Amino acid sequence: MTTTLITNAKIVNEGRIEERDVLIRRGRIERIDTSISAPAEEVIDAKGKHLLPGMIDDQVHFREPGLTHKGDIHSESRAAVAGGITSYMEMPNVNPVTTNATALKDKLDRAAQRSFANFAFYLGASNDNLENIQRLDPNLACGVKVFMGASTGNMLVDDPNILERIFADCPVLIATHCEDTPMILANETRYREQYGEAVPIEEHPNIRSVEACYKSSSFAVDLAKRFGTKLHVLHITTEKELALFEAGPVAQKQITAEACVHHLFFNEADYATRGALIKCNPAIKKKTDQAALLQAVKDDVIDIIATDHAPHTWEEKQNAYFKAPAGLPLVQYALVSALEQVRAGHWSLEKLVEKISHNVATRYQLKDRGFIREHYWADLVLVDLDGKTKVSKESVLSKCGWSPFEGIEFQSEVTHTWVNGALMFEKTVGVTENQRGVALEFDR
């Protein structure tokens, strides 16, 4: 493995920004110091740039197996490392669904051969796999995903008795998608009566409403409190839901909350220009909800920032409201979109690193990841805060070939990404095709 010396980097780590050199050997950070003169096969002068721990995305849909016309582990992890994401945790709603240990192991085997970034996978919950959850090896999955009211194939868990047993017996963290299906179906009926099948996309946040989100997320929080469950509520979208969560350090919390980059970047005014390209579940909502989420990140009510990367083909997205699928490709531009919030003054660069790296590693009990520390794995991203990233169809690496950010010029850029000490992406060269990530390990 190549020995790499990164010099003159502004390291952003554990609440501080300090100019340091970093020596990488055998995949790990061997030394961090003010000046290092050790021999190295590769020397990168990072003068003027910021070195961050790589983003750890705890919520992606890479579509493999079974939905690979939209994306796959190879294509989407390639886009991820180009965007500074060095590790990801992938969701179970593929085909067949990941609801048992055999399916988990199959995905781990696929990723070992095809993934550019490090990887872990969720076991999915259903109404009929309680025994698989109870017997789950805590080191085999990053967590158990529960769709509490968001019907995705046969993965909707709507049996109250089963939900209670899952929350009582799950041996790992539970991550929930919280929307109330009966309320959503009632809203769909009401809007169909008014518009027929031609419901305007602007009504999406009214159909996937604040009330539907709050009813489901408050139920999840209540269950977690009753059973002492480690609960992580994914992609919070409403100001109302934020009252369910407490501010404070992630290590001290039983119940944590997440926001996604698109809910932080867009609001309902963007439906007029981006249409179904920003249709996602839960929906992008009001500007006041967006502002509340941004503040909640700063106040440590929101603990983690992720993507919920979920590609669909361009053709699928051109359908009318009810047939256009929900989900956006996001991994390639997630970090630079979040850096725009730093530039806008919503939070500091140190706070962003906490939300995209430190807190994910802490919450999921990752071993030797998420921090720039000696002896930790060298999962690193170098960013130029004076650079530019213009999003166009030609620049998109995801298999679907489009981005909801198309036409936007971000005021920063990812210049280098290292995964386990290997230079996986360099802006002037592209993605290194002959390197692969590894399965994430846990300290549980």
Side-chain angles (χ1 to χ4, degrees):
M1 299 181 72
T2 302
T3 299
T4 302
L5 178 61
I6 305 169
T7 63
N8 306 310
K10 296 177 183 177
I11 294 178
V12 187
N13 187 59
E14 300 185 75
R16 299 185 303 276
I17 301 178
E18 300 173 322
E19 189 166 305
R20 295 286 188 271
D21 293 354
V22 177
L23 181 65
I24 301 168
R25 197 188 306 274
R26 291 186 289 276
R28 292 182 181 260
I29 299 169
E30 183 173 282
R31 185 179 166 197
I32 303 169
D33 212 332
T34 52
S35 180
I36 300 174
S37 57
E41 297 156 271
E42 185 172 57
V43 178
I44 305 290
D45 185 359
K47 190 70 176 177
K49 299 182 178 66
H50 290 76
L51 188 68
L52 323 180
M55 182 172 176
I56 305 170
D57 191 349
D58 77 348
Q59 188 186 182
V60 303
H61 302 262
F62 282 178
R63 306 304 193 193
E64 185 176 344
L67 303 167
T68 53
H69 68 288
K70 302 173 188 281
D72 57 49
I73 288 170
H74 184 273
S75 65
E76 306 316 291
S77 67
R78 188 169 181 266
V81 297
I85 293 171
T86 54
S87 299
Y88 62 85
M89 302 177 193
E90 207 266 349
M91 289 296 169
N93 52 320
V94 287
N95 185 21
V97 290
T98 317
T99 52
N100 56 56
T102 300
L104 271 174
K105 289 172 183 174
D106 174 67
K107 289 173 84 170
L108 287 164
D109 289 343
R110 289 169 181 265
Q113 299 297 317
R114 295 167 54 76
S115 181
F116 291 93
N118 303 317
F119 49 87
F121 298 95
Y122 289 87
L123 181 74
S126 69
N127 283 326
D128 55 10
N129 78 329
L130 177 59
E131 188 175 335
N132 287 310
I133 294 170
Q134 292 168 327
R135 292 184 297 152
L136 176 64
D137 177 351
N139 293 307
L140 187 61
C142 52
V144 167
K145 173 68 178 290
V146 181
F147 289 91
M148 292 185 62
S151 182
T152 305
N154 65 344
M155 296 195 66
L156 171 63
V157 184
D158 56 2
D159 183 325
N161 294 323
I162 294 295
L163 272 174
E164 288 191 357
R165 294 304 339 137
I166 291 172
F167 273 72
D169 298 344
C170 186
V172 294
L173 177 144
I174 289 176
T176 54
H177 179 138
C178 290
E179 293 182 281
D180 185 74
T181 292
M183 293 183 75
I184 292 167
L185 293 175
N187 290 338
E188 286 182 352
T189 298
R190 184 159 56 87
Y191 278 91
R192 269 195 171 99
E193 288 171 354
Q194 182 176 355
Y195 294 105
E197 294 300 304
V199 172
I201 186 64
E202 288 82 0
E203 300 296 353
H204 187 55
N206 298 319
I207 292 173
R208 317 286 298 206
S209 64
V210 170
E211 293 74 22
C213 291
Y214 184 82
K215 182 176 180 181
S216 183
S217 56
S218 60
F219 181 38
V221 169
D222 177 66
L223 283 171
K225 288 180 176 178
R226 274 198 279 153
F227 293 105
T229 314
K230 290 180 181 179
L231 173 66
H232 183 52
V233 183
L234 302 167
H235 44 44
I236 296 295
T237 60
T238 75
E239 182 176 12
K240 185 174 183 179
E241 289 172 284
L242 294 171
L244 297 168
F245 305 98
E246 297 179 359
V250 71
Q252 299 176 12
K253 294 183 181 182
Q254 172 204 341
I255 299 169
T256 51
E258 173 188 292
C260 287
V261 290
H262 50 302
H263 297 122
L264 296 167
F265 192 87
F266 296 114
N267 61 59
E268 66 177 359
D270 294 297
Y271 288 111
T273 55
R274 306 206 174 252
L277 296 183
I278 60 167
K279 181 185 178 185
C280 55
N281 299 335
I284 291 164
K285 296 186 174 67
K286 294 181 181 295
K287 190 171 185 178
T288 52
D289 293 305
Q290 178 193 22
L293 292 173
L294 290 164
Q295 186 64 40
V297 171
K298 182 178 181 179
D299 293 342
D300 293 330
V301 174
I302 293 290
D303 303 285
I304 288 171
I305 295 173
T307 69
D308 196 17
H309 173 90
H312 298 283
T313 69
W314 177 261
E315 291 73 22
E316 289 169 332
K317 278 290 193 175
Q318 304 314 301
N319 285 309
Y321 174 73
F322 286 108
K323 290 186 177 180
L328 325 178
L330 291 157
V331 288
Q332 187 174 350
Y333 303 108
L335 179 54
V336 288
S337 78
L339 286 168
E340 292 295 293
Q341 312 296 359
V342 174
R343 181 176 290 273
H346 294 298
W347 357 278
S348 67
L349 187 55
E350 299 95 316
K351 181 65 67 177
L352 174 61
V353 166
E354 180 183 287
K355 304 299 179 180
I356 64 173
S357 302
H358 300 342
N359 283 2
V360 193
T362 299
R363 186 58 170 145
Y364 285 84
Q365 300 171 283
L366 297 183
K367 185 176 181 181
D368 298 345
R369 308 272 184 191
F371 298 85
I372 302 179
R373 293 173 176 169
E374 291 181 353
H375 312 303
Y376 269 52
W377 288 106
D379 295 339
L380 304 167
V381 55
L382 193 63
V383 298
D384 184 353
L385 298 185
D386 296 317
K388 308 285 185 188
T389 301
K390 180 70 177 288
V391 183
S392 65
K393 275 190 171 63
E394 293 72 29
S395 68
V396 171
L397 297 179
S398 287
K399 183 182 280 191
C400 65
W402 63 273
S403 168
F405 298 119
E406 187 177 339
I408 294 171
E409 184 173 74
F410 295 111
Q411 303 304 300
S412 62
E413 66 177 338
V414 172
T415 65
H416 299 73
T417 304
W418 289 268
V419 178
N420 306 315
L423 182 57
M424 197 68 76
F425 170 79
E426 185 176 1
K427 72 168 186 175
T428 57
V429 177
V431 177
T432 302
E433 298 291 339
N434 63 347
Q435 302 285 348
R436 294 293 178 265
V438 300
L440 294 170
E441 295 181 309
F442 305 94
D443 254 334
R444 293 175 172 168

